[in-house]
Amino acid sequence: MLDMTATRPLVLVVEDEAALATMLRYNLEKQGFRVEEAADGQEALTRIAETQPDLVLLDWMLPALSGLEVCRQIRRRPATRDLPVIMVTARTEDQDAVRGLNTGADDYITKPFNTEALVARMRALLRRSGALPTKSALAFHDITMDLATHRVTRNARALHLGPTEFRLLEFFLQHPRRVFSREELLDAVWGKDIHVEPRTVDVHIRRLRKAINGPDELDLVRTVRAAGYAIDTEAV
Ligand code: CA
């Protein structure tokens, strides 16, 4: 049985500002992460034990228990000693950031931050911890995907993919020639807890085709009637 969640690491977002937590969840899910939330430091420790996240995004200023204290406790417990932690701070003083890292945070990011920068740091840490594949590139036929830089090329021509098309292609490239149903693709690329119509898959497959197939190039996305889609060099 193929593990559909293998490429979707679980992130615990610890944030007491509800609007920011919602925004983070939305953006991180769009980038292919599964997201759990905690609104204070005490809840964070409980949720970590319950859900065993792959990474914790930890706000510095929290009610009940500060981010620093949560980080200390994460490092003190054998089960979570190596859990990747990114500290989120509204303060800009370097001294504070250094204090955060001394407490055991692996990295820190200062508010306001853009999602791209955050996700790049998250992926780097997840690769180091083994929660994301360390393979630096995926390839099939004349397509290459660089997982570090997110550059995708076909015949050395740069392709421009939206985030969903990128993840669809990444998933296909991990399992070349294998046919996936719309439901399997939804679970793997969008996530089990997200409610999307299976039809949505068709829309993104269409976009993916448009993005990767040049006018004289072989269509690498194979449609298998009543079964689903695959990346393949053989047309039906
Ligand atoms: Ca806060």
Side-chain angles (χ1 to χ4, degrees):
M1 184 62 193
L2 188 72
D3 183 2
M4 293 297 197
T5 60
T7 56
R8 306 186 58 242
L10 178 65
V11 180
L12 178 69
V13 171
V14 187
E15 175 58 67
D16 57 317
E17 281 171 58
L20 184 52
T22 304
M23 187 275 281
L24 278 167
R25 170 189 282 277
Y26 174 80
N27 285 317
L28 293 177
E29 283 179 342
K30 224 166 79 178
Q31 294 290 326
F33 295 94
R34 290 176 294 140
V35 176
E36 289 283 344
E37 288 176 39
D40 66 54
Q42 200 59 57
E43 194 189 348
L45 291 172
T46 311
R47 300 297 287 148
I48 288 167
E50 281 171 1
T51 64
Q52 302 179 319
D54 295 303
L55 185 143
V56 180
L57 198 57
L58 184 58
D59 188 28
W60 182 296
M61 301 290 279
L62 286 170
L65 215 53
S66 78
L68 278 180
E69 188 48 36
V70 173
C71 194
R72 254 182 224 123
Q73 297 208 23
I74 288 173
R75 289 294 170 254
R76 213 176 286 143
R77 296 174 187 186
T80 55
R81 188 160 292 152
D82 301 319
L83 176 60
V85 175
I86 297 180
M87 194 74 96
V88 180
T89 167
R91 313 177 185 192
T92 47
E93 292 89 352
D94 282 340
Q95 200 47 47
D96 281 345
V98 169
R99 257 175 69 210
L101 292 173
N102 282 344
T103 320
D106 298 278
D107 205 348
Y108 70 95
I109 194 157
T110 307
K111 287 181 193 170
F113 50 82
N114 72 39
T115 314
E116 260 171 59
L118 174 65
V119 167
R121 286 168 193 221
M122 289 171 63
R123 287 196 211 278
L125 280 178
L126 288 167
R127 251 179 227 116
R128 218 163 45 174
S129 72
L132 271 182
T134 45
K135 247 184 153 179
S136 58
L138 292 167
F140 179 77
H141 193 58
D142 48 8
I143 289 192
T144 3
M145 173 180 274
D146 185 319
L147 294 171
T149 60
H150 271 215
R151 268 178 59 89
V152 186
T153 59
R154 180 162 187 186
N155 263 326
R157 168 181 99 250
L159 302 180
H160 302 285
L161 305 178
T164 306
E165 286 71 49
F166 182 92
R167 282 188 289 114
L168 255 177
L169 183 61
E170 182 182 14
F171 185 69
F172 279 136
L173 292 176
Q174 284 164 346
H175 314 281
R177 298 199 163 86
R178 210 192 125 129
V179 180
F180 292 99
S181 69
R182 289 171 180 78
E183 287 72 22
E184 285 175 316
L185 291 172
L186 279 178
D187 282 354
V189 176
W190 281 260
K192 279 190 197 308
D193 35 5
I194 295 179
H195 300 286
V196 199
E197 292 277 308
R199 255 193 311 243
T200 307
V201 174
D202 303 340
V203 173
H204 288 278
I205 289 280
R206 217 175 299 139
R207 286 187 197 158
L208 178 62
R209 272 209 171 96
K210 217 174 144 192
I212 68 173
N213 296 328
D216 300 318
E217 284 172 335
L218 182 67
D219 182 2
L220 290 177
V221 183
R222 180 179 165 209
T223 305
V224 184
R225 275 197 70 190
Y229 298 102
I231 189 132
D232 208 331
T233 46
E234 283 168 57
V236 209

